[in-house]
Amino acid sequence: KQYRVFKTKIKDLKCYFIEDKEHFTIGRNEKGKPNNIYEGKSDAEVKRRWAHFQSSAAELVYIMSKKQKNPVELVHCHDAQTALVPK
């Protein structure tokens, strides 16, 4: 499966974002606010969603680390949903 990857610069730091509408469109509640990303229909569903994200992020990091020009050398992992990316 292919995903869209967005790139932006914040100051001099390149940042990449993965778009996966199937797993990360969390919808909105009755008040129109985005649903909590840490909640889902079940605990297992939330764990699957984060495992899927970590797999996609790790693959992106691997691909970007093999670039001839300006390979990715550092990945910032923040919070539990990125815990397996360095592995």
Side-chain angles (χ1 to χ4, degrees), residues 62-78:
Y62 177 77
I63 291 167
M64 300 301 286
S65 73
K66 300 298 180 190
K67 289 177 23 180
Q68 292 290 331
K69 184 179 178 186
N70 299 322
V72 169
E73 296 176 351
L74 176 71
V75 177
H76 173 74
C77 296
H78 178 77

Side-chain angles (χ1 to χ4, degrees), residues 5-78:
V5 177
F6 297 92
K7 178 174 74 170
T8 191
K9 260 190 168 179
I10 300 174
K11 298 192 180 180
D12 288 329
L13 183 66
K14 289 181 188 173
C15 299
Y16 297 89
F17 299 90
I18 300 170
E19 178 184 65
D20 179 354
K21 291 182 181 181
E22 178 184 349
H23 291 94
F24 297 105
T25 301
I26 58 171
R28 296 185 176 274
N29 65 21
E30 63 281 348
K31 295 179 182 178
K33 293 184 178 182
N35 290 326
N36 186 327
I37 63 170
Y38 299 100
E39 295 175 357
K41 295 175 187 165
S42 69
D43 191 43
E45 185 251 340
V46 172
K47 288 177 182 176
R48 273 193 303 277
R49 187 172 63 217
W50 290 125
H52 179 82
F53 170 75
Q54 292 178 69
S55 176
S56 299
E59 183 177 0
L60 176 63
V61 169
Y62 177 77
I63 291 167
M64 300 301 286
S65 73
K66 300 298 180 190
K67 289 177 23 180
Q68 292 290 331
K69 184 179 178 186
N70 299 322
V72 169
E73 296 176 351
L74 176 71
V75 177
H76 173 74
C77 296
H78 178 77

